[in-house]
Amino acid sequence: MGAGSSMTRRRAVPWVVVGLWLAALVLVGPLAGKFGGIQQNRATDYLPDSADSTQVARIQDRLPGGEATDLVLVYHRDGGLTAADRKTAAEQVAEVGDTYELAGTPRGVPSEDGSTLMFPVSSTEPGQDEEARTAFVDGVREIADGGDGLRVEVGGPGALTTDMNKVFETIDGTLLTATLGVVTVLLVLIYRSPFLWLVPLAVAGAATTLAMAAGYGLHELFDVTVTGQSGGIMTVLVLGAGTDYALLLVSRYREELRRHERPYDAMRVALRGCGPAILASSGTVAAGLLCLLAADLNSSSGMGPVGTIGVLSALIAMTTLLPAVLVLLGRRVFWPLIPAFGSEPKARRTVFAVMGTSAARRPRTVLTAGAVLLGALALGTLGLTGDLKQEDSFTDRPESIAAMDTLAREYPERGSRPLTVMAPAGRADAVVAEARATDGVAEVTPGREGDGWTEIAVFTTAAPESPAETRTVEALRDGLDDHGAYVGGPSAQRLDLADSEARDRSVVVPLVLAAVFLILVALLRSLVAPLLLLGAVVAVWGAALGLGGLVFEPLFGFAGTDPGLPLLSFVFLVALGVDYGIFLLHRMREESVGGAEPEAAALSALRTTGGVIASAGIVLAATFAVLTTLPLVALVELGFVIAVGVLLDTFLVRTYLVTTASVLLRRRLWWPGRLSHAPEPARPERQPEPV
């Protein structure tokens, strides 16, 4: 009776787990559908609360009509505008004024050579509604139309924000479709089964739904900032990390099916064997991402909990739903390569066995050569260009960027977009006078008033985001600080962004290293092994960033580096790279506990986990490489560095460097734990004395 009831419970558990998941997906599905609607992509959504430019944006929100949508209509003809061109421009600008409520009458500013005429246009009619802003910009673009040699472009901060939002609106769908396609192809190649690949892919889809619903809940309950960037990266993390966990579990489950007759028993042993490694792996990623909460930038601090939700959703799905589905499907899911009970896998010399043997023959030579290679690649960071300008943020240049290029070329004597100064109403005149006396200022125009503040537009003599304009922004802030005024606008926002990124690197990087180190110490019960893994992943980060420096400008044609690239790539490469080290060293520790000598334990661990780590690394690198297909330079750079770093980590660092270092360190690798001490020699059995 006891055996029968136990068998019944075993059969019921997987069905209960699947049923609970189906019920949960029905409940959270509507919330997941709202995830895209909460993403915020204004520049101020990325900036810290304390930044001057953030204060300017918030004060603008409180002015009559809220934050203005500023556009610039640019009319240009090579060789000079004709009288008919000027008439067309005047008529179209008048039509814009008749259609929308503008802040003042637009005044045309001709270029010195007469080839260009620009009309600054500002409106508070759209208010804070992003759809209304987009409709306003699109409506102005429909009215402002050229032809017959007359080129008309609509630019300005409002148009740039609209173009950016349109890109982010397409990211989620494009990213999800592309990532699913890449993962599907790789799983089919890895499993060589017409059915098995569907299981982890379907479970990853369930994890993605759960993560999106949880992300929506984070935003609603705790006001966590969710940007298009963090939302896209969360999707990549769920699919990439989740597939990695699935590969490790399925590989161990296949092994145990040869030793256990019932799939339920095989899965239980598999979970007990690789569960700690998966748990520690997800723990390091989550801990590393949560360190971003200490960042000053809203976008970075928001990415921490959003990314953590993605990783934890993948962990929960791959350790509950995936095992349940595999047990229910039984051995036949592996068809045609079904692991039979009592069988032995075909003995074959794998490439990882060959690599491990070659590394063990000359470990010092291999370790030195690998370290020199990583160091040489890291020198490529010297080729990283300066911070990425706003007009260089797109891989395909939208109309707003084309307008900025025209303005910069045709109006070299003045900036094409103003700085925005918010002055206390009682000191507006003094602020205007101080601004006009500042070096690098071309024009100062007072604007709206309300809520105790006056909005002032300040045009500089320098091009946007140039070193000269940066000096003007800093001079304005120094001179106006005593008046209680704030200096903002797109150029000031980029300056605040770069300053905050530098501050965040000095705070977050040590926190990430400390958090990951503590988790590794708890898992591996050693101080030396965690230091080895951390040193390896930091070296990989430097080499991957150096490769970026070698290709971003010469090969990809990028005109700068996103200020957030060093910090975000460090967090992801350290957290994700340590994953593979955990898989390898955890298996190495198992072999050592079982009595294997240090060198044999290292080579056995590489032989048994090398294929899984390689498969997981390829999948993770491929999912992040999908980011390089998107039209934003920042995401292309991030995807490239992480993908290259994961591949370096998988095929060079884990396979050769960590293995050879383990062979050289021998038992010292586990110091000061119990495994660092040589076992006592076995005492011979005492034979009874003959009578």
Side-chain angles (χ1 to χ4, degrees):
M1 181 69 179
S5 61
S6 176
M7 181 68 68
T8 302
R9 285 196 300 270
R10 289 180 180 179
R11 291 175 177 173
V13 168
W15 286 109
V16 171
V17 172
V18 171
L20 289 174
W21 264 97
L22 290 175
L25 292 176
V26 170
L27 291 175
V28 304
L31 300 180
K34 299 179 180 180
F35 182 71
I38 64 172
Q39 296 177 13
Q40 307 165 30
N41 296 306
R42 292 193 307 169
T44 49
D45 296 323
Y46 287 72
L47 291 168
D49 294 336
S50 58
D52 261 30
S53 48
T54 306
Q55 299 301 320
V56 168
R58 288 180 174 173
I59 295 171
Q60 284 181 315
D61 290 343
R62 301 199 300 266
L63 292 178
E67 182 181 358
T69 302
D70 298 319
L71 305 178
V72 180
L73 278 63
V74 183
Y75 293 83
H76 174 83
R77 181 186 290 274
D78 293 335
L81 293 170
T82 64
D85 293 337
R86 294 187 179 89
K87 181 181 178 182
T88 298
E91 290 174 349
Q92 291 181 356
V93 171
E95 184 178 353
V96 170
D98 293 338
T99 307
Y100 301 100
E101 183 180 344
L102 303 182
T105 302
R107 179 174 59 88
V109 181
S111 63
E112 288 188 358
D113 62 1
S115 65
T116 309
L117 188 62
M118 74 168 179
F119 289 85
V121 172
S122 181
S123 175
T124 58
E125 182 177 330
Q128 305 305 309
D129 190 316
E130 291 296 336
E131 292 185 3
R133 288 172 181 266
T134 300
F136 169 64
V137 174
D138 290 342
V140 172
R141 283 175 169 166
E142 289 181 5
I143 295 172
D145 187 27
D148 194 25
L150 175 64
R151 191 169 75 244
V152 183
E153 298 159 341
V154 177
L160 185 63
T161 300
T162 295
D163 290 339
M164 187 76 74
N165 285 335
K166 288 180 178 179
V167 170
F168 278 114
E169 286 173 3
T170 62
I171 279 182
D172 284 346
T174 303
L175 197 58
L176 183 61
T177 303
T179 306
L180 286 174
V182 168
V183 172
T184 298
V185 171
L186 291 175
L187 286 178
V188 171
L189 294 176
I190 291 168
Y191 287 139
R192 291 173 292 170
S193 167
F195 307 113
L196 182 56
W197 63 272
L198 282 168
V199 180
L201 197 63
V203 174
T208 303
T209 302
L210 178 63
M212 288 181 173
Y216 175 78
L218 275 179
H219 174 76
E220 292 298 306
L221 295 176
F222 304 104
D223 198 28
V224 172
T225 299
V226 181
T227 64
Q229 183 186 51
S230 61
I233 289 177
M234 186 194 75
T235 301
V236 171
L237 272 176
V238 174
L239 295 175
T243 305
D244 279 5
Y245 303 152
L247 287 169
L248 186 65
L249 179 61
V250 171
S251 175
R252 190 62 176 263
Y253 176 54
R254 189 197 295 265
E255 286 184 38
E256 299 302 333
L257 281 173
R258 301 181 186 278
R259 304 187 184 105
H260 299 82
E261 183 177 0
R262 296 185 179 90
Y264 182 91
D265 297 331
M267 180 59 73
R268 186 175 58 182
V269 175
L271 280 172
R272 189 183 301 126
C274 65
I278 294 176
L279 185 62
S281 169
S282 59
T284 56
V285 178
L289 289 172
L290 286 177
C291 290
L292 286 171
L293 285 170
D296 202 23
L297 284 177
N298 284 336
S299 56
S300 296
S301 62
M303 186 178 293
V306 171
T308 300
I309 284 293
V311 171
L312 294 181
S313 298
L315 170 68
I316 294 170
M318 295 305 169
T319 54
T320 59
L321 181 59
L322 178 63
V325 174
L326 288 175
V327 169
L328 290 176
L329 293 175
R331 298 174 187 271
R332 58 184 177 274
V333 74
F334 289 95
W335 186 86
L337 305 176
I338 300 176
F341 171 58
S343 65
E344 292 290 335
K346 291 182 180 180
R348 55 182 181 180
R349 190 166 175 77
T350 66
V351 64
F352 295 100
V354 174
M355 295 169 75
T357 303
S358 64
R361 288 174 183 168
R362 297 179 179 176
R364 288 183 175 82
T365 302
V366 172
L367 190 60
T368 302
V372 169
L373 175 61
L374 291 177
L377 291 176
L379 292 176
T381 55
L382 300 175
L384 291 173
T385 52
D387 290 342
L388 191 69
K389 295 181 180 180
Q390 200 167 27
E391 61 263 31
D392 298 319
S393 299
F394 298 87
T395 55
D396 297 323
R397 302 174 76 80
E399 182 179 339
S400 57
I401 299 299
M404 292 174 66
D405 290 343
T406 302
L407 292 172
R409 184 177 64 252
E410 301 298 332
Y411 298 86
E413 74 285 354
R414 58 173 287 166
S416 57
R417 66 185 183 206
L419 302 171
T420 302
V421 175
M422 301 304 303
R427 313 204 66 176
D429 293 339
V431 169
V432 169
E434 181 72 29
R436 285 174 175 160
T438 303
D439 289 340
V441 172
E443 181 182 346
V444 179
T445 305
R448 296 178 295 166
E449 293 186 1
D451 199 41
W453 294 90
T454 299
E455 184 180 54
I456 301 168
V458 178
F459 288 88
T460 68
T461 59
E465 299 181 53
S466 64
E469 190 194 47
T470 298
R471 290 192 294 270
T472 302
V473 172
E474 292 171 344
L476 279 170
R477 285 178 169 173
D478 290 340
L480 301 180
D481 188 55
D482 293 338
H483 297 282
Y486 298 106
V487 179
S491 296
Q493 290 167 0
R494 302 295 289 185
L495 179 61
D496 291 337
L497 184 68
D499 291 342
S500 296
E501 289 284 4
R503 176 264 175 197
D504 289 348
R505 285 196 295 271
S506 64
V507 173
V508 175
V509 167
L511 283 177
V512 172
L513 292 175
V516 173
F517 177 74
L518 292 176
I519 292 175
L520 291 176
V521 169
L523 174 71
L524 301 175
R525 302 172 196 175
S526 164
L527 295 178
V528 176
L531 289 174
L532 172 63
L533 288 184
L534 283 180
V537 293
V538 170
V540 166
W541 169 70
L545 207 58
L547 275 171
L550 295 176
V551 302
F552 284 162
E553 184 176 7
L555 187 61
F556 296 165
F558 297 157
T561 305
D562 181 61
L565 177 64
L567 176 62
L568 293 181
S569 61
F570 178 86
V571 171
F572 283 112
L573 281 178
V574 168
L576 295 170
V578 166
D579 276 10
Y580 303 136
I582 288 174
F583 296 162
L584 179 65
L585 288 186
H586 185 265
R587 190 60 179 257
M588 198 182 299
R589 180 179 174 80
E590 280 189 58
E591 299 287 343
S592 299
V593 169
E597 289 298 315
E599 181 174 328
L603 298 181
S604 177
L606 177 62
R607 184 176 61 254
T608 54
T609 65
V612 179
I613 291 177
S615 301
I618 292 172
V619 170
L620 191 63
T623 54
F624 273 97
V626 172
L627 293 175
T628 63
T629 65
L630 300 177
L632 291 177
V633 172
L635 291 179
V636 173
E637 292 179 340
L638 182 65
F640 176 86
V641 170
I642 295 178
V644 168
V646 168
L647 292 177
L648 282 174
D649 191 80
T650 302
F651 293 101
L652 174 62
V653 174
R654 298 294 151 239
T655 305
Y656 276 117
L657 303 191
V658 172
T659 302
T660 53
S662 302
V663 170
L664 289 172
L665 289 170
R666 298 184 65 79
R667 295 190 182 277
R668 292 187 296 273
L669 178 69
W670 307 110
W671 184 87
R674 177 174 57 86
L675 291 177
S676 64
H677 308 294
E680 295 183 6
R683 296 180 180 180
E685 293 184 8
R686 185 176 180 180
Q687 299 294 327
E689 296 181 4
V691 177

